[in-house]
Amino acid sequence: MMRTRIMAWCPSPFISCLFRWLLGALFLYAGVVKAADPHGFALALYNYHLLPGWMINPVAIILPSVELVVGASLLAGIWTRGGALLASVLLVIFALALGISLIRGFDIACGCFSTSSGAESITWLYVVRDIILFVMGVHIILFDHRTASLDLLLRTKSR
Amino acid sequence: MELRVKVLDFKTSILRLSQAIRQGVFLVCLGALLAAGFNGIRPGGLPWIGQWSPSSVTASYLQDLQGISLAEAWYLYQESKALFLDARDPVSFRQGHITRALNCPPGETETYLEEVLTLARSGLEVIVYCEGVGCSLSPELARTLQRFGVPSVKILEDGWSRWLEAGYPIGEGG
């Protein structure tokens, strides 16, 4: 009975749409903050000590724009599955980077929604947050019904 | 019948996933193109290749202050010729710090200034550190100490994270 209720709730178009807007808004915001201060974001990346030096600037240049594109895709509901897949992959990478840094004992700023080096230090709560957002991304890939989306609008017009 | 539904579900999932991968690749390419264009036209865009060695990064943000490499700091530590000052907040300090370091947050100078001045005048090299590059606490502390007459203050390149990574001695608690 309980299982049936959960199964009925999971593919709900409303839930999937809500997750899409939430993830979209978060990615858009994160992308804008990072794109506004690429130097600060590059420094935040450097402080993780995970990337070789030659990769820091290319990642600091490209990642904010990818986040912006993912955010726009999810908010507008166009190429939604691609946007959700990309968001999920990025969230796994972010969670891994945070987890590794926490295990190594680093007391660094996240660089997630702020590029200031004086921002609050990372904790395991950040990893939990990314895992929850990852679950939302997977939910969108599996159950999105194109509710209130450009995908649906374009499909209806082309018919 | 049930088996057929399961096979169909599986096929649908695979189709959705392959569609998601195609769209995802397209979105990455679109993002990369936008990034290259935007970075090219904006004033003060990042160069594609940057200098990210500890000494070059430290030099770029220290300005008038003097840095000290991890190797030099480690040598002075072993010779007991250095006084390490941790500029981070007390909570971070209690979680882990360089052994024998004093916790000296820049805003609480009056609580430790006298002790630091005495130790510095006894010939110890004063080395301040905070988390890593870009952390503004150690330059702030170094400038404050210099203003109060501490003769020579150096900033540890890459700070606490690099010391920890090197596996050098650390302490916990107050």
Side-chain angles (χ1 to χ4, degrees):
Chain A
M1 183 69 179
M2 186 67 183
R3 190 167 173 266
T4 323
R5 269 191 196 167
I6 292 170
M7 288 309 284
W9 179 82
C10 265
S12 150
F14 172 72
I15 297 292
S16 164
C17 189
L18 195 73
F19 285 173
R20 217 186 69 213
W21 285 343
L22 185 72
L23 263 190
L26 281 176
F27 267 83
L28 206 62
Y29 177 70
V32 168
V33 168
K34 287 168 191 155
D37 180 17
H39 292 273
F41 180 48
L43 206 55
L45 284 175
Y46 172 76
N47 280 333
Y48 278 88
H49 296 297
L50 285 172
L51 293 173
W54 61 268
M55 270 183 79
I56 289 175
N57 280 15
V59 172
I61 292 168
I62 293 173
L63 187 60
S65 293
V66 172
E67 286 186 331
L68 283 173
V69 168
V70 167
S73 145
L74 291 174
L75 272 180
I78 190 157
W79 299 311
T80 311
R81 288 205 182 101
L85 179 72
L86 212 49
S88 308
V89 171
L90 287 174
L91 285 162
V92 170
I93 295 170
F94 297 159
L96 280 175
L98 287 166
I100 291 169
S101 300
L102 284 164
I103 290 167
R104 288 159 97 187
F106 290 1
D107 181 23
I108 52 175
C110 178
C112 314
F113 298 106
S114 161
T115 52
S116 160
S117 59
E120 202 182 315
S121 300
I122 54 172
T123 64
W124 284 103
L125 279 178
Y126 286 64
V127 181
V128 173
R129 177 196 66 192
D130 282 358
I131 292 170
I132 292 170
L133 293 174
F134 165 76
V135 172
M136 289 184 189
V138 173
H139 186 282
I140 298 167
I141 300 170
L142 294 177
F143 301 118
D144 184 58
H145 287 70
R146 298 194 167 100
T147 310
S149 72
L150 266 183
D151 270 341
L152 183 69
L153 193 74
L154 292 173
R155 189 167 281 210
T156 320
K157 275 199 171 175
S158 68
R159 273 180 192 161
Chain B
M1 183 66 183
E2 198 181 322
L3 185 71
R4 210 174 149 193
V5 171
K6 273 186 183 167
V7 170
L8 274 175
D9 273 357
F10 180 71
K11 273 189 177 172
T12 317
S13 300
I14 294 292
L15 274 175
R16 281 183 179 180
L17 198 65
S18 62
Q19 185 197 32
I21 292 170
R22 272 200 312 276
Q23 291 177 348
V25 170
F26 180 80
L27 289 173
V28 170
C29 295
L30 183 66
L33 274 176
L34 280 175
F38 185 50
N39 190 60
I41 56 167
R42 75 187 294 176
L46 268 187
W48 284 88
I49 305 293
Q51 291 293 320
W52 288 103
S53 67
S55 44
S56 62
V57 176
T58 311
S60 70
Y61 87 103
L62 286 187
Q63 296 162 3
D64 53 318
L65 298 168
Q66 218 182 338
I68 183 166
S69 70
L70 182 67
E72 286 174 278
W74 173 234
Y75 170 77
L76 291 173
Y77 174 90
Q78 286 173 305
E79 298 290 313
S80 298
K81 287 180 179 168
L83 168 65
F84 286 90
L85 303 181
D86 189 320
R88 298 172 305 154
D89 61 277
V91 177
S92 303
F93 180 80
R94 275 197 295 275
Q95 283 169 352
H97 54 261
I98 294 177
T99 308
R100 300 199 297 265
L102 299 178
N103 187 207
C104 304
E108 299 163 23
T109 328
E110 67 283 357
T111 56
Y112 50 77
L113 185 64
E114 210 166 312
E115 189 183 359
V116 171
L117 271 171
T118 313
L119 290 167
R121 282 172 186 155
S122 72
L124 291 177
E125 188 87 61
V126 179
I127 301 173
V128 299
Y129 70 90
C130 51
E131 182 44 49
V133 171
C135 166
S136 57
L137 293 171
S138 38
E140 198 182 328
L141 177 63
R143 288 200 176 89
T144 309
L145 292 176
Q146 282 179 339
R147 215 172 40 244
F148 281 107
V150 179
S152 159
V153 185
K154 289 179 176 167
I155 294 178
L156 181 60
E157 285 170 5
D158 263 6
W160 167 243
S161 57
R162 192 62 80 171
W163 182 276
L164 192 67
E165 219 174 38
Y168 294 156
I170 59 165
E172 281 177 13

